[in-house]
Amino acid sequence: GAGVSQTPSNKVTEKGKYVELRCDPISGHTALYWYRQSLGQGPEFLIYFQGTGAADDSGLPNDRFFAVRPEGSVSTLKIQRTERGDSAVYLCASSFGIRDTQETQYFGPGTRLLVL
Amino acid sequence: QKEVEQNSGPLSVPEGAIASLNCTYSDRGSQSFFWYRQYSGKSPELIMSIYSNGDKEDGRFTAQLNKASQYVSLLIRDSQPSDSATYLCAVNSRSGGSNYKLTFGKGTLLTVNP
């Protein structure tokens, strides 16, 4: 596709439920990032994939959060036992993956998660 | 803890004026600096990147970087109402391994009044 796509655009769930958020990066991009943005805050890094492997998962807040990218393209962010504090916009970004800090990250439209 | 600081605003300027947005960062090892624009309810969109000290101009936008002062700024000339958005400063620091994550400030809300 032309840009990063994310589904669903909105997700409402109940406390304690399990959710999956999907990200489809720009074709040819080997690097993929997940960020979380709370109201009034900048995006906060969660996890970075280079290909199929998680190169840096230092931003995942706890073990309820997990992400996979089994074929090096689409990624799924999984949240178990959701809590109200997990409510935020989850942003996915991708880049070419040339392992350079100058590389531009392109963001998707985000998934707005609301935990009731 | 790497930090990126921005004035949250709101910054209000009249149409046609120069808007000046500022950002400071704590990590001296930071190498790359980005300004993203985010309209309400939308995702961040890259508008400028800068990697070396000095000024970089692109149309109405000028990014300025001073690594000694750990300061980066964005100037918007001839501000238009369509520039009204939140401007996010982001820093990319490689601190060993494969660390290419962006650290963002909270953003500055800019309002351009017609």
Side-chain angles (χ1 to χ4, degrees), chain A residues 42-58:
Chain A
E44 292 180 294
F45 170 80
L46 296 176
I47 187 169
Y48 154 56
F49 285 91
Q50 183 63 41
T52 60
D56 183 354
D57 64 357
S58 62

Side-chain angles (χ1 to χ4, degrees), chain A residues 14-26:
Chain A
E14 294 179 344
K15 180 176 178 294
K17 298 291 188 181
Y18 168 84
V19 297
E20 289 190 351
L21 312 179
R22 175 189 168 108
C23 171
D24 201 338
I26 293 172

Side-chain angles (χ1 to χ4, degrees), chain A residues 33 35 37 40-43 45 48 55-56 58 91 99-105 107-109 112, chain B residues 31-32 34 36 38 41-44 46 51 88 92-94 98-102 104-107:
Chain A
Y33 313 79
Y35 293 84
Q37 187 172 24
Q41 304 293 316
F45 170 80
Y48 154 56
D56 183 354
S58 62
L91 294 164
R99 303 177 187 266
D100 189 304
T101 61
Q102 296 185 7
E103 196 171 55
T104 296
Q105 296 182 22
F107 283 82
R112 191 174 302 272
Chain B
Q31 299 172 325
S32 303
F34 305 87
Y36 282 82
Q38 187 172 30
K42 302 296 185 182
S43 60
L46 181 70
Y51 314 119
L88 297 163
N92 199 330
S93 309
R94 185 178 179 189
S98 307
N99 186 357
Y100 296 103
K101 66 185 181 186
L102 292 175
F104 284 86
K106 291 185 178 181

Side-chain angles (χ1 to χ4, degrees), chain A residues 18-98:
Chain A
Y18 168 84
V19 297
E20 289 190 351
L21 312 179
R22 175 189 168 108
C23 171
D24 201 338
I26 293 172
S27 178
H29 281 191
T30 62
L32 185 146
Y33 313 79
W34 284 98
Y35 293 84
R36 178 169 71 174
Q37 187 172 24
S38 300
L39 194 63
Q41 304 293 316
E44 292 180 294
F45 170 80
L46 296 176
I47 187 169
Y48 154 56
F49 285 91
Q50 183 63 41
T52 60
D56 183 354
D57 64 357
S58 62
L60 294 177
N62 51 59
D63 61 6
R64 295 186 298 106
F65 289 75
F66 188 71
V68 295
R69 196 186 184 198
E71 298 179 356
S73 179
V74 171
S75 175
T76 304
L77 178 66
K78 308 179 180 191
I79 310 174
Q80 299 177 320
R81 304 183 304 280
T82 52
E83 299 178 356
R84 293 192 180 89
D86 299 334
S87 298
V89 176
Y90 288 81
L91 294 164
C92 177
S94 71
S95 66
F96 282 109
I98 60 173

Side-chain angles (χ1 to χ4, degrees), chain B residues 40-87:
Chain B
S40 181
K42 302 296 185 182
S43 60
E45 172 194 13
L46 181 70
I47 54 171
M48 288 289 287
S49 58
I50 187 166
Y51 314 119
S52 55
N53 283 327
D55 295 359
K56 179 181 178 182
E57 185 175 322
D58 183 0
R60 296 187 295 112
F61 299 96
T62 298
Q64 299 174 317
L65 174 62
N66 184 327
K67 290 187 177 180
S69 300
Q70 295 175 242
Y71 175 89
V72 59
S73 67
L74 179 70
L75 299 177
I76 306 175
R77 290 181 299 282
D78 188 24
S79 295
Q80 300 297 309
S82 59
D83 295 327
S84 298
T86 295
Y87 289 80

